[in-house]
Amino acid sequence: MNRQSSILGQRAVVIGGSIAGLLTARILTNYFERVTILERDRLPEQPEPRKGIPQCKQLHILLTKGREIMEELFPGLQDELLAEGAATVDMIGDVEWLNPFGWGYRFPSGFMALSFSRYILDWLIYQRLLEIGCIDFLEQTYVTELLKSEDGKGVAGVKIKQRNQTGRKEELNLSADLVVDASGYGSSAPEWLKSLGYETPEETRITTGMGYASRLYEIPSDFQENWKGIYIQAAPPERTSMGVLYPIENNHWIVGICDTYPNQPSKDENAFLEALKQLPSPIIYNTVKNAKAITPIEIYHPPGNRLRHYEKLTHQPERFIVLGDAVCSFTPIYGQGMTVAALGAMTLNDCLENIVKKRSNLSGLTKIFQKRLAKINANPWIAATSQDAKYPSVKGLVTSPSIAEKFIGWYMNQVIRLTTTANYSQTTLALTKVFHMLKSAGTLFKPDIAVQILKQILGNNSQYSPNQKSSS
């Protein structure tokens, strides 16, 4: 099908130029004559941190499912990441993983991931979009309200404020056949809807008051360990701290520690090192205590998990949809955000492709898309919030876990316990694929794994041993 036969409108507007917005813009180029991205920040001329991505100096893990989607949208992106210095890591064979039940058994799995600074990914995608002739970027621009269509049933564009070359703000209307809000956690969509006379979505927030501290170190020339990365997992409610060390570009490690209120990390160097030292294994501390620090300690306080239930709205304006963190955001330690944003963009693609196949129009898209997106968000939301519920500092829980939820939590712990034993390497690989969203969690409930768990319980063969090193 050629592009002209799939065009659904003259212009689509995307609010927000982070990962969710950039991927969505790429999708929309298949269905609209022009795509305009509105971004509050000034986009960089080279790969570097920017104000609009306050979390970009912290550790980021791009799950394999997300990487596959991005590679589909931008063929060759993985090679470009490698050219920028991204490190390749066997997520089982190269990573020392201390979970609540002991050290994960390491073996060469071939399950490779890329490790790099977040802003490199954004910049590479941004550069790709600049090559597409039908995309416009309006920087230092923000939306003040939605424009209602003449028939009163939908959105016909946005009112924006833009800083001109003299520094003054200019206000103007921008017409659009479709408006997509991908503006992140700070989205004003509920207020925009209210001003048009629509109800605002219900909102669920579950937070732990978690804080992050990260810094870069130079990998010493005499470093000779047989691992590349370290992940010391939190074990709430008893232990709320976690530590990570991963290689990234430029022969650097990114080292991070996080903890919940009131034990949040500090920018003080001695406190940072002491927090690493106090983890249940001092392996990260011993690795970096004499290494050269490249950057100051960067602190980030994420807002936590928030889900806005747009799918439950009785009435919504046509031709206006919301996705990414503007709908569903997570505690970052689970690494789901970018991949869930990519899944949301592909869900939009499926909806628009279906409209083209039926030779229909955009009427009804909003309702269909938000319901489908809610299903995409459901499993990662449960995965993140069920873990956060274990932290003593958690806020926002309105009901106690059901018997079924308690069983699932117990069962997942037994699966993780299996990873500490060499006999269950295939289960470790299956769990890794679930973490990376390549397989559903149902994979872990298959009879062969359930039998392994039963044998483990009967044998009582796995004890928590944080100071016992894993096999290599």
Side-chain angles (χ1 to χ4, degrees):
M1 182 182 295
N2 62 51
R3 181 173 183 270
Q4 197 57 43
S5 64
S6 65
I7 294 300
L8 296 172
Q10 291 297 309
R11 186 204 301 269
V13 165
V14 178
I15 306 170
S18 191
I19 288 292
L22 297 178
L23 298 183
T24 299
R26 170 63 187 87
I27 293 293
L28 294 176
T29 61
N30 295 330
Y31 303 98
F32 295 87
E33 294 284 1
R34 300 210 66 78
V35 178
T36 300
I37 301 174
L38 310 178
E39 170 57 43
R40 280 179 171 267
D41 201 6
R42 182 177 290 280
L43 295 169
E45 296 181 0
Q46 58 188 355
E48 61 185 6
R50 66 180 179 91
K51 183 179 179 181
I53 313 175
Q55 73 276 26
C56 70
K57 295 181 181 179
Q58 307 296 320
L59 174 68
H60 280 75
I61 296 295
L62 176 59
L63 303 184
T64 302
K65 182 63 177 179
R67 192 179 83 230
E68 288 180 353
I69 291 173
M70 294 180 195
E71 183 70 17
E72 179 181 346
L73 294 175
F74 303 98
L77 180 63
Q78 178 172 309
D79 289 340
E80 292 178 357
L81 284 166
L82 291 170
E84 290 291 331
T88 56
V89 180
D90 183 319
M91 293 304 292
I92 300 174
D94 289 337
V95 179
E96 290 282 12
W97 173 29
L98 179 57
N99 63 53
F101 307 101
W103 290 98
Y105 175 76
R106 289 170 49 212
F107 60 93
S109 69
F111 193 97
M112 308 305 293
L114 299 183
S115 182
F116 49 85
S117 294
R118 158 67 190 271
Y119 54 81
I120 291 178
L121 177 64
D122 288 69
W123 184 77
L124 286 174
I125 294 175
Y126 171 51
Q127 294 302 304
R128 287 293 197 96
L129 293 178
L130 286 177
E131 297 172 359
I132 301 176
C134 65
I135 291 183
D136 304 309
F137 285 89
L138 296 184
E139 302 174 58
Q140 296 186 299
T141 302
Y142 62 94
V143 174
T144 58
E145 61 183 273
L146 302 175
L147 302 177
K148 184 176 281 191
S149 60
E150 290 184 3
D151 61 9
K153 296 180 180 180
V155 166
V158 292
K159 179 169 286 190
I160 62 174
K161 281 190 176 179
Q162 184 178 30
R163 193 177 297 278
N164 62 23
Q165 293 181 346
T166 65
R168 297 182 60 184
K169 292 181 180 178
E170 297 179 331
E171 190 171 68
L172 56 98
N173 293 340
L174 187 65
S175 62
D177 297 290
L178 179 67
V179 175
V180 180
D181 179 16
S183 58
Y185 195 90
S187 166
S188 297
E191 290 78 15
W192 298 334
L193 291 177
K194 186 176 181 180
S195 68
L196 291 181
Y198 294 90
E199 59 185 315
T200 58
E202 297 176 20
E203 191 170 286
T204 303
R205 295 193 190 196
I206 298 177
T207 63
T208 59
M210 192 169 285
Y212 299 76
S214 295
R215 81 183 316 182
L216 301 187
Y217 289 86
E218 185 177 296
I219 300 176
S221 57
D222 59 351
F223 176 73
Q224 295 181 342
E225 298 291 343
N226 65 354
W227 48 260
K228 292 184 179 180
I230 304 167
Y231 173 33
I232 298 179
Q233 186 179 348
E238 291 81 10
R239 179 173 57 79
T240 58
S241 59
M242 65 166 275
V244 292
L245 177 152
Y246 271 84
I248 57 172
E249 69 282 354
N250 299 324
N251 193 48
H252 291 163
W253 282 317
I254 183 167
V255 176
I257 190 163
C258 70
D259 207 338
T260 56
Y261 180 84
N263 303 312
Q264 292 180 325
S266 166
K267 293 190 75 168
D268 177 79
E269 177 147 1
N270 291 331
F272 181 78
L273 291 173
E274 184 63 23
L276 292 173
K277 190 176 183 180
Q278 293 304 316
L279 290 168
S281 167
I283 183 172
I284 298 178
Y285 169 77
N286 289 335
T287 300
V288 303
K289 64 181 180 181
N290 296 319
K292 180 182 178 181
I294 302 300
T295 64
I297 298 166
E298 301 287 348
I299 300 292
Y300 177 57
H301 296 284
N305 308 285
R306 187 191 67 188
L307 181 60
R308 285 176 169 170
H309 301 273
Y310 286 96
E311 79 283 1
K312 294 183 179 180
L313 293 181
T314 306
H315 300 290
Q316 298 188 63
E318 296 283 0
R319 301 171 185 263
F320 174 68
I321 63 174
V322 190
L323 52 69
D325 282 358
V327 175
C328 186
S329 59
F330 309 94
T331 300
I333 59 172
Y334 308 115
Q336 302 179 112
M338 291 189 288
T339 298
V340 173
L343 288 167
M346 295 306 289
T347 300
L348 176 59
N349 182 67
D350 292 343
C351 291
L352 294 173
E353 189 176 61
N354 194 45
I355 290 172
V356 171
K357 287 179 179 178
K358 292 183 176 180
R359 298 185 179 182
S360 185
N361 56 44
L362 296 172
S363 297
L365 170 65
T366 301
K367 183 177 181 180
I368 293 171
F369 171 77
Q370 298 297 166
K371 287 187 178 297
R372 290 188 61 179
L373 182 67
K375 292 179 180 179
I376 293 293
N377 291 335
N379 286 336
W381 172 262
I382 292 171
T385 57
S386 63
Q387 289 300 309
D388 279 1
K390 299 176 182 178
Y391 287 86
S393 60
V394 67
K395 294 181 180 180
L397 294 177
V398 294
T399 59
S400 299
S402 66
I403 293 176
E405 289 170 335
K406 289 180 179 179
F407 170 76
I408 291 172
W410 171 85
Y411 186 91
M412 291 301 295
N413 280 341
Q414 305 316 307
V415 174
I416 293 173
R417 189 188 295 270
L418 289 173
T419 67
T420 63
T421 306
N423 296 337
Y424 304 122
S425 58
Q426 289 306 304
T427 298
T428 300
L429 184 57
L431 179 62
T432 303
K433 290 180 179 180
V434 170
F435 283 160
H436 281 257
M437 296 189 184
L438 296 175
K439 299 286 186 180
S440 72
T443 303
L444 303 175
F445 289 82
K446 289 184 176 181
D448 57 335
I449 295 180
V451 168
Q452 292 172 4
I453 289 173
L454 181 60
K455 288 181 178 179
Q456 177 177 250
I457 293 171
L458 294 176
N460 192 27
N461 62 356
S462 181
Q463 300 295 324
Y464 178 54
S465 52
N467 293 312
Q468 177 185 343
K469 285 300 301 297
S470 62
S471 301
S472 298

